[in-house]
Amino acid sequence: FDSYAVGTYPPPPWWNMFSGVSAAVSAEQALNAPNSLRIESLSNWARWDCVTINLPQAYFVAQANVYITDPARGACIGFGFVDPNAANVGRHANAVMFANDGMAYWVTQTAGSMPLLPWTAGEWWNVMAELNYMTGQAAVYIGVGAPTAFPGLPLDPKVLPASYYGVEVPLNNWGA
């Protein structure tokens, strides 16, 4: 985010799904460079900032560094979509959620949530997810410093079938 002016929202392909509080390029906290994208939300209302992607046929790897300032607000990194049966309700699929209970979870729509490890605010968390659509499994690597590996996690398909939400839901909005 170093090529964008502090205080501005990054240009496309970035876009906002739910407004939450605010999001802007910030120089307050950054891991390896002067700037990062600071996303703020309320404890009871998320803000989703996304990049729409075209998933490859077999394999997708995503990586993010996350700094959470308020443990009561948490964060989520992964695919987000709007429930077509309740348009104001967002869902996560194939996502790492830093929940308000102090645990990080792997979240899917088809298999539910699986606890990964406890997390604390005020540290940079490295998160990497390898999504293998050939095997139907994910591997998540998460940690401060050396990450912990969580292989063999269940993986939602690239398009959730109509049996879940009444319509097919493509998982193509990756964000935080």
Side-chain angles (χ1 to χ4, degrees), residues 61-146:
V61 177
Q63 185 170 0
N65 292 300
V66 181
Y67 188 92
I68 303 166
T69 58
D70 184 349
R73 295 186 184 183
C76 192
I77 298 92
F79 288 97
F81 64 96
V82 176
D83 181 343
N85 296 316
N88 64 340
V89 177
R91 305 274 187 232
H92 296 293
N94 298 335
V96 173
M97 178 179 287
F98 292 84
N100 296 356
D101 66 0
M103 286 295 294
Y105 295 87
W106 175 247
V107 180
T108 69
Q109 290 297 299
T110 55
S113 300
M114 287 126 279
L116 299 176
L117 49 70
W119 69 274
T120 54
E123 299 184 273
W124 280 101
W125 288 85
N126 183 283
V127 179
M128 184 171 77
E130 296 176 346
L131 311 182
N132 188 331
Y133 291 102
M134 298 296 286
T135 64
Q137 293 187 331
V140 170
Y141 305 86
I142 181 174
V144 173

Side-chain angles (χ1 to χ4, degrees), residues 5 13 25 42 56 64 112 139 156 175:
V25 174
L42 301 171
D156 283 328

Side-chain angles (χ1 to χ4, degrees), residues 16 20 23 29 33 41 46 49 54 80 82 104 112 117 121 130 132 141 146 148 158 169-170:
N16 176 255
Q29 296 287 342
S41 67
D49 291 275
N54 292 315
V82 176
L117 49 70
E130 296 176 346
N132 188 331
Y141 305 86
T148 302
K158 290 188 280 185
V169 178

Side-chain angles (χ1 to χ4, degrees), residues 41-66:
S41 67
L42 301 171
S43 58
N44 61 347
W45 184 254
R47 179 176 174 103
W48 290 9
D49 291 275
C50 307
V51 172
T52 301
I53 60 170
N54 292 315
L55 280 171
Q57 290 298 313
Y59 195 74
F60 177 71
V61 177
Q63 185 170 0
N65 292 300
V66 181

